[in-house]
Structures are given as structure tokens and as C-alpha cells.
Amino acid sequence: MKNFLSAEARGLAPYTPGEQPRDQQYIKLNTNESPFPPSLKVVKALSRAELLKLNLYSDPACTQLNAAIAAHYGLHPANVISGNGSDEILAFAFRAFCGAGQPVAYADVTYSFYQSQAALFGLEAKVIPLREDFTLNVDDYMDFPGAIVIANPNAPTGMAVPRQDIQRLLEANPDRVVIVDEAYVDFGGESCVPMIFRYDNLLVTQTMSKSRQLAGGRVGFALGGEALIEALNRVKYSFNPYNINRLSLIAGTAAMEDDAYFQSCCETVRKNRAWLVEELEGLGFAVLPSSANFVFARCGRLPGGELYRRLKESGILVRWFDRERVRDFVRITVGSMEQIGALVDELARMLEEL
Ligand SMILES: *Cc1c(COP(=O)(O)O)cnc(C)c1O
């Protein structure tokens, strides 16, 4: 076999997405999607008239979408850039702010896509362990001479970092970019968005995949000072100027404008989460304190991998990471009451049979 791979491609560490099975109907609690459909306003906005414009390119500046996002957060459109999911935005940020002599730091237990992107761009990455209890100590990042990325709330733990800690980090070195990945912030974290005008080294990324019912629409965005957003646009226009398709621009704009539906979905997830945590604890699970739309739980009587396999056999998908420090846990998305009710019933049955 010939080897067509470049040296760079050989060094990649591709991300493993959660299973998206097509063969069977599972109760899907493995990739932190919303259990609710998109807003009706989204459905209405995706009209036949808009479909008939698919022969035309989408707006590279994402004018309406960025305006809707800016209005929602009380920012200017120049403080916003949208991407094909926040994963793309993170890639723009890694390319814009990291490189030779500019490393990146992130936690040992966090969103594993950071590692994939660091490898993609050939970056030097410093992995900084969380404390024993999975809390993040910002003091461990204070003298790091490069960009820092922190998922807040973190994945897969669900645990949040206080805004004050991030503020200390931003102040400690104003010449280094701090990227705060707020994919899950709408479920209970303290957002750093209000600090954007105060700190020009703060970049906040968010997504419509988790709290706005648009995982399949692939819409994410970053908020920050104008200079940072300009730097991200430099990368975007070097890579994929029409990065969001016409339909997703429309869907994202409508989703951002339907605040009532957004609030009510988030509230339901928080209520369901409280119920799920109580039930899991009643079954003897140890559950980390979650500010996200998932919980990270350890059974004690069954190893994480075994629990994952047995649930899958029963038609319920959760996420298990075969990685150091977290092997005993499973990550469970907070689904609808019907979904998490079925999960709890199945767990109770399974544990009784042990
Ligand atoms: C889901 C997720 C994202 C990105 O999601 P997109 O669907 O690409 O917007 C980013 N960061 C974390 C921590 C996530 O869990």
C-alpha cells in the first residue's frame, strides 16, 4: 500500500464523536443534544421560498445572525463571529492565537476536541491536571506563556469555574488570550460575556447545539473584543468564507430571537436534572455537581464500561470515556422526563439483578 499521508496528517489525533446510530431507535443520552425540537419560529422561517434560494451562496458576513446574537447579549455585531458549530470557531481561535512559540494549555479532563485541534495545528499543548475532586485551580495557569482554553462548565464533568477565578486569570496576563468555552453555560454556569468590554484578551465561545435545539444545524459563535473577532475573521476568510449555509443562518437567527422558548427549554432541563440526580443518588451513584445538561456519575457496583454496555443492550445510549481518571464514570445527557424515567427504571432493574 502506498502511503499518501502527509507527515502532518500522520500526527493527527482525531476526535471520536459520540455514537449516532442509524440501525436502531435508542434512547439517546450520549451527545448532550436537546431532547426538544427546534423553536416553531425556526420551522416557520425555513420556508419553501428560502429553499428555492439555495442556488445562491450564503452571506459570508452572517449579517442577520450576528445582529441577532449581538442584540441578545447587548453587544455590537463587531463583537460576534459565527461558525459551523463552535468546534469551527475553536479551530479559528487555535489557528489565530497559537502557533510556533505560542502554546496552548487546557485541563487533563476536558473536551477532548482541544487535543485534536492542537494536533491539527501542530501546537505545543500543556495539559494541566484538575484537582483530585475535578475542580479547576486557575492558579495552575497563572504563569503559562500562551493561550488558555477552559470549558466552563467543563465537559464531561459538568462542573463550573467561578467567574471571579477567570477574572483573576484575565488580569494576571493581559497579553495572553483566555478562551472560555461556554457550550453549557445556559444550564447554570456564570457567563463571562459581561466581562468582554473590560478584558480585550477574553474570548467566549457558545453554541446553539445544546441549549437552542440546533445541534444538526451546526451553529456556534464567539463573543469578544473587536481585535479578537477580527483575528478570527482573518482565519475564517483564509479557510471557508461561506462557513454557514443559508438554512442554518436562518435557523440560527430565528432560534436566537425566540427567547421564551429558549428559556423554557433550559428551565425544563434544570428541573429534569435535579430529578435525575436525586434518583441516581437514591440508586447509590456518586454524581458530580452539574451545571450542564448532563451528569457525570459513578456507580460503584458496576465499572463504567460495563454499565455503558449493559445500557446499550437495553436500548439506552450514554457516553463512556475509556480514559484515565474517568473510566469509572458514565456521562448521561439530561433528556426528557420520559427518557430519563426509562433510564432510571432500567438502572434500578439492572442493579437489583446484581
Ligand atoms: C458540544 C461542545 C462544543 C461544540 O459543539 P458544536 O456542536 O460544534 O457547536 C464545544 N465545546 C464543548 C465543551 C462541547 O461539549
Side-chain angles (χ1 to χ4, degrees), residues 138-139 142 163-173:
V138 283
D139 291 317
M142 284 299 170
R163 179 161 51 205
Q164 276 197 336
D165 283 5
I166 292 178
Q167 190 170 4
R168 280 207 290 130
L169 202 53
L170 290 162
E171 281 171 4
N173 187 347

Side-chain angles (χ1 to χ4, degrees), residues 95-112:
R95 181 65 296 163
F97 308 124
C98 307
Q102 293 170 294
V104 61
Y106 45 80
D108 62 336
V109 178
T110 192
Y111 189 37
S112 61

Side-chain angles (χ1 to χ4, degrees), residues 85-87 90 111 114 151 155 181 183-184 207 209-210 218:
S86 57
D87 287 343
L90 287 164
Y111 189 37
Y114 305 148
D181 178 349
Y184 299 105
T207 174
S209 297
K210 316 298 172 33
R218 312 301 303 122

Side-chain angles (χ1 to χ4, degrees), residues 86 90 111 114 149-153 179-184 203 205:
S86 57
L90 287 164
Y111 189 37
Y114 305 148
V149 54
I150 295 177
N152 189 31
I179 302 164
V180 184
D181 178 349
E182 295 190 349
Y184 299 105
L203 186 80
T205 64

Side-chain angles (χ1 to χ4, degrees), residues 30 43 83 97 116 154-155 171 191 199 238 247-248 271 285 291 303 335 350:
N30 66 329
V43 178
F97 308 124
S116 305
N154 196 12
E171 281 171 4
S191 178
Y199 301 105
S238 305
L247 299 181
S248 291
K271 250 185 10 219
F285 279 76
S291 300
M350 203 181 279

Side-chain angles (χ1 to χ4, degrees), residues 48-331:
R48 181 181 157 80
E50 294 296 346
L51 282 171
L52 288 172
K53 291 185 210 157
L54 279 177
N55 57 313
L56 304 175
Y57 277 112
S58 56
D59 172 16
C62 307
T63 311
Q64 284 175 317
L65 175 61
N66 289 355
I69 294 168
H72 180 83
Y73 292 99
L75 303 167
H76 306 297
N79 299 117
V80 183
I81 178 174
S82 296
N84 199 307
S86 57
D87 287 343
E88 186 185 58
I89 293 288
L90 287 164
F92 293 165
F94 274 51
R95 181 65 296 163
F97 308 124
C98 307
Q102 293 170 294
V104 61
Y106 45 80
D108 62 336
V109 178
T110 192
Y111 189 37
S112 61
F113 202 59
Y114 305 148
Q115 187 201 350
S116 305
Q117 298 206 332
L120 174 63
F121 297 120
L123 305 179
E124 184 195 326
K126 178 156 186 211
V127 176
I128 300 181
L130 299 174
R131 294 192 188 96
E132 194 59 36
D133 64 359
F134 296 109
T135 54
L136 184 143
N137 182 4
V138 283
D139 291 317
D140 295 341
Y141 293 77
M142 284 299 170
D143 1 295
F144 181 70
I148 294 167
V149 54
I150 295 177
N152 189 31
N154 196 12
T157 65
M159 291 167 66
V161 181
R163 179 161 51 205
Q164 276 197 336
D165 283 5
I166 292 178
Q167 190 170 4
R168 280 207 290 130
L169 202 53
L170 290 162
E171 281 171 4
N173 187 347
D175 296 328
R176 144 192 88 182
V177 176
V178 177
I179 302 164
V180 184
D181 178 349
E182 295 190 349
Y184 299 105
V185 78
D186 299 319
F187 303 106
E190 285 181 304
S191 178
C192 286
V193 171
M195 303 199 296
I196 279 169
F197 289 120
R198 199 150 13 130
Y199 301 105
D200 65 3
N201 55 336
L202 167 63
L203 186 80
V204 176
T205 64
Q206 292 194 7
T207 174
M208 300 207 187
S209 297
K210 316 298 172 33
S211 57
R212 291 183 189 272
Q213 292 70 47
L214 280 184
R218 312 301 303 122
V219 184
F221 52 94
L223 310 170
E226 283 188 36
L228 293 190
I229 299 301
E230 222 175 273
L232 297 178
N233 272 313
R234 224 181 132 74
V235 176
K236 162 179 153 158
Y237 283 94
S238 305
F239 176 69
N240 188 10
Y242 305 103
N243 63 330
I244 308 188
N245 70 75
R246 294 187 78 96
L247 299 181
S248 291
L249 285 176
I250 290 166
T253 306
M256 194 42 83
E257 286 169 353
D258 193 350
D259 198 51
Y261 185 65
F262 161 72
Q263 296 290 353
S264 108
C265 289
C266 290
E267 180 52 32
T268 306
V269 167
R270 283 191 291 265
K271 250 185 10 219
N272 293 3
R273 179 178 69 205
W275 182 85
L276 176 60
V277 169
E278 196 172 315
E279 292 293 319
L280 288 172
E281 287 177 348
L283 289 171
F285 279 76
V287 187
L288 298 187
S290 171
S291 300
N293 68 339
F294 57 85
V295 298
F296 206 44
R298 186 174 46 193
C299 175
R301 296 173 63 200
L302 276 178
E306 186 60 26
L307 194 60
Y308 157 77
R309 274 187 289 276
R310 289 189 187 205
L311 283 172
K312 185 170 178 183
E313 274 166 28
S314 311
I316 302 175
L317 280 184
V318 299
R319 190 92 195 255
W320 173 60
F321 298 96
D322 190 7
R323 283 206 299 262
E324 236 181 297
R325 291 192 75 182
V326 297
R327 222 167 252 127
D328 289 345
F329 289 81
V330 289
R331 192 192 68 190

